[in-house]
Amino acid sequence: MSTIRDVAKSAGVSAATVSRVLNNKGYVSEEKKEKIEKVIHDMGYEPNQIARGLAKKTSKTLALIVTDITNPFFPELAKGAEKAAYLNGYSFLLGNTKGMDNHNDDYVKLLKNKYIDGVIIASHDIDIEILKEQENTPMVVLEMDNDIENACTIKVDNYDGAMTATRHLVSIGCRKIAHIYGPQYDSTAKERLEGYKAVIRDTSGLSEILVPGDFTINGGAETVQNLLTQYPDIDGIFAGNDLMAIGVLKKLNQLKIKVPEDIAVCGFDGIFMTQVTNPELTTIEQPIYRMGELAAEKLIFRINHPFYGKESIELKTKLQIRESTRKVNRSDQKKSFSDGD
Amino acid sequence: MSTIRDVAKSAGVSAATVSRVLNNKGYVSEEKKEKIEKVIHDMGYEPNQIARGLAKKTSKTLALIVTDITNPFFPELAKGAEKAAYLNGYSFLLGNTKGMDNHNDDYVKLLKNKYIDGVIIASHDIDIEILKEQENTPMVVLEMDNDIENACTIKVDNYDGAMTATRHLVSIGCRKIAHIYGPQYDSTAKERLEGYKAVIRDTSGLSEILVPGDFTINGGAETVQNLLTQYPDIDGIFAGNDLMAIGVLKKLNQLKIKVPEDIAVCGFDGIFMTQVTNPELTTIEQPIYRMGELAAEKLIFRINHPFYGKESIELKTKLQIRESTRKVNRSDQKKSFSDGD
DNA sequence: CTGAAAGCGCTTACAG
DNA sequence: CTGAAAGCGCTTACAG
């Protein structure tokens, strides 16, 4: 590996001058500049990022902290983020918080010790208070309400999305629509719940049917039995996320309850798996990849514009209609299924 | 952020001595050592990795290069690797090769410019020849035959796994078993194909039914029509990986062909999605998470033992029997399904 | 056992 | 416009 000194020597200038052309900063005569660029090219010289980092307190690397990369929502996010970062000369450190015990603030320490230039937070396991202390670190927070001073928050209009989902179920003829809501420390779960409630409230003849879930496949599945016992005549389920909807689908399938004939099911997120289930799952699609991309772009912008202040971005969701909410003649079906009450 | 000098001053020693206790290297009197450790603790001092890196040509970070983190095989791998790395004080850089055009060797440059300590390769998109040149970089290669001098290769016994899959289909009564094989530049695809062939060859009454696939869901689905036209009486499909098996399942479902009653389906890999399909998919399970963990462990070992030489590790697969290969009375089924020949 | 000095490979005032 | 010098925060021979 050649160093800046090698380049300088070969070009007959000082290291400082080479550094100036490298950073495109300060005056360099056109003549020397060209000479230096040629030498750099010929030698295949690349600046050592570690040395540069030490001098500039910079690393050209970003961190992406997710709950669990194994949750299908995150890989797509990560890919979008990585792509955008990469195009701007940054690389990406990945951190999972789930199953890492109390080590979460170790990730925060890392930010300092490795001069991580900025961080994307997509995990509720990180303590907001700790985050707040890092006010000098450019930060973008995903899908999570927060009162951090100097961060960009990117989320989807969950309230609107949930309304769309619920209205869609109404529109295909569902009249007993249950909602499986996610953990309420998660603001997205909260907003989705509110969206559901709003539609129920504003539509005559409907009433709230609520059951708590934990945003996992198994959690969704476990919910079903409970739901059917209490409300044997439900004809639609709006799950707070796709994972739970997938669990619901599995369970209904085991119970020989037909989707969408007996019960229609709608999820939320738009993860890829929704196209793999049988029947395919109707869902409220978030632009996941785009969110990752945008997060990285906004982050890099903030790196270049420190203390930019608070910013909130809300993206639109899109109703993706699939087999699990195909319109069927519900009055017939309901009769044959619910004979209880 | 306090520096080593702050610690030294506060402990009344030189920076060199502090460095010695930090690195647990060289002699330090017990008395000073204790004093220094106390100061370090009290100040909450943490060594700056960038500075340390520049001095030691080290970064305490690893790179994981995958084809596409969006492929469900990789997140689990990444998680295992990250966990193991994390426990050893390393962090992880993630790189996707797919969709990155010719920029792949940029990843390799990164290794040098950021003093990446070691790299796990899980992508065929990286040129083996380029890899070979990096003989000084500790490296572990996953699921890929290679002749790199100084690397650890970790893979699964694909040949054996494919035999197990094929035999399993035979054991539930299948007699016309097709294999959708993956791209043959991929050594795992090759080995799986060989395993299939071996069983067909050694079992009387069976003959090879082969069709090429591309290891994707859509690719698997597209294969089906073709297969059914040529061999309307097949009663079992062994797909070269789970993704293709999932595609097959979707297509068969669309065609109202029953799994497992008409055709039994078996995949390979053991990705989580196989539990989400309907019916759930029988598969040859690889210990994916463990492979990631092991990869990181071996890599770190190599970082501490440079030029350790070539090493190959082969892990066992496990047949995971699920609904898609439930035993049914095939002679009946076949009749009702294939009326052509 | 310990400290002063040099060095890792850059960048950035400063002086000219 | 350019170079010498100092500095980023560590580590590691070297001398004592």
Side-chain angles (χ1 to χ4, degrees), chain A residues 7 11 61 67 89 98 100 116 119 128 137 140-141 187 192 204 211 232 241 247 257 264 274 286-287 306-307:
Chain A
V7 174
T61 115
T67 320
K98 193 176 153 192
M100 289 306 187
I116 300 299
V119 56
I128 287 266
T137 311
V140 358
V141 178
S187 52
R192 292 172 196 178
S204 65
V211 54
N241 74 349
I257 296 175
T274 54
Q286 303 194 49
F307 305 105

Side-chain angles (χ1 to χ4, degrees), chain A residues 277-330:
Chain A
T277 53
N278 178 15
E280 291 186 22
L281 192 62
T282 294
T283 187
I284 301 295
E285 218 171 64
Q286 303 194 49
I288 307 180
Y289 182 91
R290 176 63 192 141
M291 286 173 81
E293 230 179 22
L294 192 61
E297 287 163 4
K298 287 292 175 184
L299 188 56
I300 291 167
F301 176 83
R302 273 166 185 272
I303 290 167
N304 299 323
H305 304 260
F307 305 105
Y308 184 74
K310 200 165 174 54
E311 182 182 14
S312 283
I313 298 177
E314 199 164 67
L315 300 172
K316 279 285 167 203
T317 56
K318 182 165 164 257
L319 172 64
Q320 187 65 251
I321 302 178
R322 301 216 185 86
E323 177 68 10
S324 73
T325 61
R326 185 168 40 82
K327 188 162 185 167
V328 294
N329 188 338
R330 258 160 224 294

Side-chain angles (χ1 to χ4, degrees), chain A residues 176-180 196 207-211 227 231 233-234:
Chain A
K176 304 272 187 176
I177 304 170
H179 176 51
I180 310 174
Y196 162 82
S207 55
E208 285 181 10
I209 303 176
L210 290 171
V211 54
L227 206 50
Y231 311 94
D233 58 347
I234 54 172

Side-chain angles (χ1 to χ4, degrees), chain B residues 6 55 69 91 104 117 143 163 170 194 212 238 240 259 290 333:
Chain B
D6 300 331
I69 190 68
S91 29
N104 291 338
D117 297 333
E143 294 279 40
M163 290 206 300
V170 172
E194 291 310 320
F238 166 38
V259 177
R290 176 63 191 142
Q333 299 301 136

Side-chain angles (χ1 to χ4, degrees), chain B residues 10-248:
Chain B
S10 170
V13 297
S14 73
T17 304
V18 176
S19 176
R20 279 186 202 102
V21 346
L22 246 28
N23 292 284
N24 211 335
K25 183 177 198 168
Y27 299 89
V28 181
S29 72
E30 200 51 40
E31 182 197 10
K32 295 208 167 170
K33 185 172 175 189
E34 275 168 23
K35 171 72 176 162
I36 290 169
E37 276 167 348
K38 181 169 176 346
V39 171
I40 287 175
H41 179 81
D42 291 350
M43 300 181 65
Y45 167 76
E46 309 238 355
N48 177 321
Q49 292 288 353
I50 298 284
R52 186 178 258 188
L54 185 57
K56 299 175 76 162
K57 295 187 184 310
T58 250
S59 66
K60 279 284 180 182
T61 115
L62 274 25
L64 172 64
I65 310 293
V66 302
T67 319
D68 183 358
I69 190 68
T70 263
N71 175 330
F73 185 85
F74 294 115
E76 203 165 332
L77 193 78
K79 199 178 177 192
E82 206 244 340
K83 180 73 178 276
Y86 182 83
L87 290 177
N88 288 282
Y90 286 82
S91 29
F92 242 112
L93 230 51
L94 179 69
N96 296 292
T97 56
K98 192 175 155 195
M100 290 303 187
D101 309 327
N102 306 347
H103 297 297
N104 291 338
D105 30 319
D106 287 4
Y107 282 125
V108 174
K109 280 185 197 158
L110 218 60
L111 301 184
K112 298 298 179 194
N113 299 338
K114 288 194 177 171
Y115 288 153
I116 300 298
D117 297 333
V119 55
I120 299 178
I121 306 281
S123 166
H124 286 272
D125 297 339
I126 295 273
D127 191 344
I128 287 266
E129 294 309 313
I130 294 183
L131 251 31
K132 276 190 187 169
E133 292 165 15
Q134 316 308 119
E135 46 181 13
N136 300 326
T137 310
M139 209 151 54
V140 359
V141 179
L142 253 30
E143 294 279 40
M144 181 161 77
D145 271 345
N146 67 79
D147 55 344
I148 303 170
E149 268 318 303
N150 187 28
C152 172
T153 304
I154 301 180
K155 47 180 292 211
V156 118
D157 191 340
N158 290 286
Y159 181 80
D160 179 72
M163 290 206 300
T164 303
T166 314
R167 282 201 199 106
H168 169 61
L169 288 169
V170 172
S171 81
I172 61 162
C174 297
R175 286 299 171 267
K176 304 273 190 176
I177 303 170
H179 176 53
I180 309 173
Y181 58 91
Q184 295 295 297
Y185 60 74
D186 184 328
S187 53
T188 64
K190 243 179 172 158
E191 291 168 27
R192 292 172 195 179
L193 173 56
E194 291 310 320
Y196 162 83
K197 282 183 176 172
V199 172
I200 298 295
R201 193 191 316 119
D202 296 350
T203 313
S204 66
L206 301 189
S207 55
E208 284 180 12
I209 302 176
L210 289 172
V211 54
D214 66 356
F215 273 173
T216 71
I217 294 186
N218 286 336
E222 282 164 18
T223 265
V224 171
Q225 196 66 66
N226 199 350
L227 205 51
L228 289 178
T229 311
Q230 285 185 64
Y231 311 94
D233 58 347
I234 53 172
D235 53 14
I237 296 180
F238 166 38
N241 74 349
D242 285 340
L243 253 18
M244 292 197 297
I246 289 169
V248 165

